[in-house]
PDB file of all heavy atoms in Angstrom:
ATOM      1  N   GLU A  42      -6.837  -2.126   6.775  1.00  0.00           N
ATOM      2  CA  GLU A  42      -6.628  -3.587   6.947  1.00  0.00           C
ATOM      3  C   GLU A  42      -5.236  -3.927   7.390  1.00  0.00           C
ATOM      4  O   GLU A  42      -4.973  -5.074   7.787  1.00  0.00           O
ATOM      5  CB  GLU A  42      -6.938  -4.247   5.602  1.00  0.00           C
ATOM      6  CG  GLU A  42      -5.947  -4.022   4.445  1.00  0.00           C
ATOM      7  CD  GLU A  42      -6.080  -2.614   3.792  1.00  0.00           C
ATOM      8  OE1 GLU A  42      -6.908  -1.823   4.190  1.00  0.00           O
ATOM      9  OE2 GLU A  42      -5.279  -2.371   2.891  1.00  0.00           O
ATOM     10  N   SER A  43      -4.253  -3.017   7.238  1.00  0.00           N
ATOM     11  CA  SER A  43      -2.884  -3.415   7.579  1.00  0.00           C
ATOM     12  C   SER A  43      -2.124  -2.170   8.113  1.00  0.00           C
ATOM     13  O   SER A  43      -2.529  -1.029   7.895  1.00  0.00           O
ATOM     14  CB  SER A  43      -2.179  -3.926   6.313  1.00  0.00           C
ATOM     15  OG  SER A  43      -2.087  -2.878   5.354  1.00  0.00           O
ATOM     16  N   ARG A  46      -1.428   0.159   5.445  1.00  0.00           N
ATOM     17  CA  ARG A  46      -2.553   1.029   5.056  1.00  0.00           C
ATOM     18  C   ARG A  46      -2.647   2.225   6.027  1.00  0.00           C
ATOM     19  O   ARG A  46      -2.903   3.333   5.586  1.00  0.00           O
ATOM     20  CB  ARG A  46      -3.848   0.182   5.122  1.00  0.00           C
ATOM     21  CG  ARG A  46      -5.068   0.927   4.696  1.00  0.00           C
ATOM     22  CD  ARG A  46      -5.123   1.361   3.274  1.00  0.00           C
ATOM     23  NE  ARG A  46      -4.839   0.243   2.360  1.00  0.00           N
ATOM     24  CZ  ARG A  46      -4.319   0.414   1.130  1.00  0.00           C
ATOM     25  NH1 ARG A  46      -4.074   1.624   0.696  1.00  0.00           N
ATOM     26  NH2 ARG A  46      -4.075  -0.587   0.342  1.00  0.00           N
ATOM     27  N   ASP A 120      -1.221   4.584  -4.891  1.00  0.00           N
ATOM     28  CA  ASP A 120      -1.009   3.208  -4.500  1.00  0.00           C
ATOM     29  C   ASP A 120      -1.436   2.240  -5.624  1.00  0.00           C
ATOM     30  O   ASP A 120      -0.645   2.008  -6.540  1.00  0.00           O
ATOM     31  CB  ASP A 120      -1.747   2.913  -3.170  1.00  0.00           C
ATOM     32  CG  ASP A 120      -1.648   1.476  -2.750  1.00  0.00           C
ATOM     33  OD1 ASP A 120      -0.727   0.777  -3.172  1.00  0.00           O
ATOM     34  OD2 ASP A 120      -2.551   1.008  -2.047  1.00  0.00           O
ATOM     35  N   ARG A 121      -2.663   1.776  -5.584  1.00  0.00           N
ATOM     36  CA  ARG A 121      -3.095   0.797  -6.576  1.00  0.00           C
ATOM     37  C   ARG A 121      -3.579   1.466  -7.834  1.00  0.00           C
ATOM     38  O   ARG A 121      -3.840   2.677  -7.881  1.00  0.00           O
ATOM     39  CB  ARG A 121      -4.176  -0.101  -5.982  1.00  0.00           C
ATOM     40  CG  ARG A 121      -3.713  -0.826  -4.755  1.00  0.00           C
ATOM     41  CD  ARG A 121      -4.775  -1.759  -4.203  1.00  0.00           C
ATOM     42  NE  ARG A 121      -4.393  -2.303  -2.879  1.00  0.00           N
ATOM     43  CZ  ARG A 121      -5.134  -3.058  -2.133  1.00  0.00           C
ATOM     44  NH1 ARG A 121      -6.386  -3.366  -2.533  1.00  0.00           N
ATOM     45  NH2 ARG A 121      -4.761  -3.512  -0.995  1.00  0.00           N
ATOM     46  N   PHE A 139       4.299  -3.108  -8.790  1.00  0.00           N
ATOM     47  CA  PHE A 139       4.051  -4.353  -7.997  1.00  0.00           C
ATOM     48  C   PHE A 139       4.671  -5.539  -8.666  1.00  0.00           C
ATOM     49  O   PHE A 139       5.152  -6.460  -7.997  1.00  0.00           O
ATOM     50  CB  PHE A 139       2.577  -4.531  -7.756  1.00  0.00           C
ATOM     51  CG  PHE A 139       1.919  -3.389  -7.115  1.00  0.00           C
ATOM     52  CD1 PHE A 139       1.028  -2.557  -7.708  1.00  0.00           C
ATOM     53  CD2 PHE A 139       2.249  -3.108  -5.737  1.00  0.00           C
ATOM     54  CE1 PHE A 139       0.442  -1.456  -7.016  1.00  0.00           C
ATOM     55  CE2 PHE A 139       1.705  -2.018  -5.052  1.00  0.00           C
ATOM     56  CZ  PHE A 139       0.793  -1.196  -5.709  1.00  0.00           C
ATOM     57  N   ARG A 180       2.333  -8.932  -7.823  1.00  0.00           N
ATOM     58  CA  ARG A 180       3.186  -9.822  -6.994  1.00  0.00           C
ATOM     59  C   ARG A 180       2.923 -11.295  -7.322  1.00  0.00           C
ATOM     60  O   ARG A 180       3.857 -12.109  -7.354  1.00  0.00           O
ATOM     61  CB  ARG A 180       2.918  -9.547  -5.510  1.00  0.00           C
ATOM     62  CG  ARG A 180       3.380  -8.154  -5.054  1.00  0.00           C
ATOM     63  CD  ARG A 180       2.917  -7.777  -3.675  1.00  0.00           C
ATOM     64  NE  ARG A 180       3.259  -6.352  -3.427  1.00  0.00           N
ATOM     65  CZ  ARG A 180       2.709  -5.628  -2.431  1.00  0.00           C
ATOM     66  NH1 ARG A 180       1.865  -6.184  -1.579  1.00  0.00           N
ATOM     67  NH2 ARG A 180       3.109  -4.381  -2.291  1.00  0.00           N
ATOM     68  N   ASN A 230       1.817  -9.535   1.779  1.00  0.00           N
ATOM     69  CA  ASN A 230       2.107  -8.380   2.604  1.00  0.00           C
ATOM     70  C   ASN A 230       2.504  -8.829   4.018  1.00  0.00           C
ATOM     71  O   ASN A 230       2.371 -10.010   4.384  1.00  0.00           O
ATOM     72  CB  ASN A 230       0.951  -7.345   2.660  1.00  0.00           C
ATOM     73  CG  ASN A 230      -0.106  -7.712   3.695  1.00  0.00           C
ATOM     74  OD1 ASN A 230      -0.392  -8.881   3.968  1.00  0.00           O
ATOM     75  ND2 ASN A 230      -0.701  -6.681   4.270  1.00  0.00           N
ATOM     76  N   ASP A 263       6.058  -5.107   2.005  1.00  0.00           N
ATOM     77  CA  ASP A 263       5.675  -3.891   2.695  1.00  0.00           C
ATOM     78  C   ASP A 263       6.814  -3.240   3.473  1.00  0.00           C
ATOM     79  O   ASP A 263       6.995  -2.020   3.434  1.00  0.00           O
ATOM     80  CB  ASP A 263       4.463  -4.090   3.708  1.00  0.00           C
ATOM     81  CG  ASP A 263       3.120  -4.096   2.945  1.00  0.00           C
ATOM     82  OD1 ASP A 263       3.128  -3.841   1.712  1.00  0.00           O
ATOM     83  OD2 ASP A 263       2.129  -4.379   3.621  1.00  0.00           O
TER      84      ASP A 263
HETATM   85  C1  GZL B   1       0.270  -2.095  -1.854  1.00  0.00           C
HETATM   86  C2  GZL B   1      -0.958  -1.928  -1.012  1.00  0.00           C
HETATM   87  C3  GZL B   1      -1.179  -3.182  -0.238  1.00  0.00           C
HETATM   88  C4  GZL B   1      -0.108  -3.400   0.783  1.00  0.00           C
HETATM   89  C5  GZL B   1      -0.912  -4.056   1.847  1.00  0.00           C
HETATM   90  O1  GZL B   1       0.560  -0.890  -2.452  1.00  0.00           O
HETATM   91  O2  GZL B   1      -2.040  -1.676  -1.788  1.00  0.00           O
HETATM   92  O3  GZL B   1      -2.401  -3.021   0.423  1.00  0.00           O
HETATM   93  O4  GZL B   1       0.936  -4.204   0.356  1.00  0.00           O
HETATM   94  C6  GZL B   1      -2.165  -3.196   1.827  1.00  0.00           C
HETATM   95  O5  GZL B   1      -0.364  -4.066   3.131  1.00  0.00           O
HETATM   96  O6  GZL B   1      -3.195  -3.842   2.455  1.00  0.00           O
END
Side-chain angles (χ1 to χ4, degrees):
E42 73 283 1
S43 63
R46 182 64 54 204
D120 176 24
R121 301 182 188 175
F139 302 111
R180 293 169 188 165
N230 85 327
D263 281 353

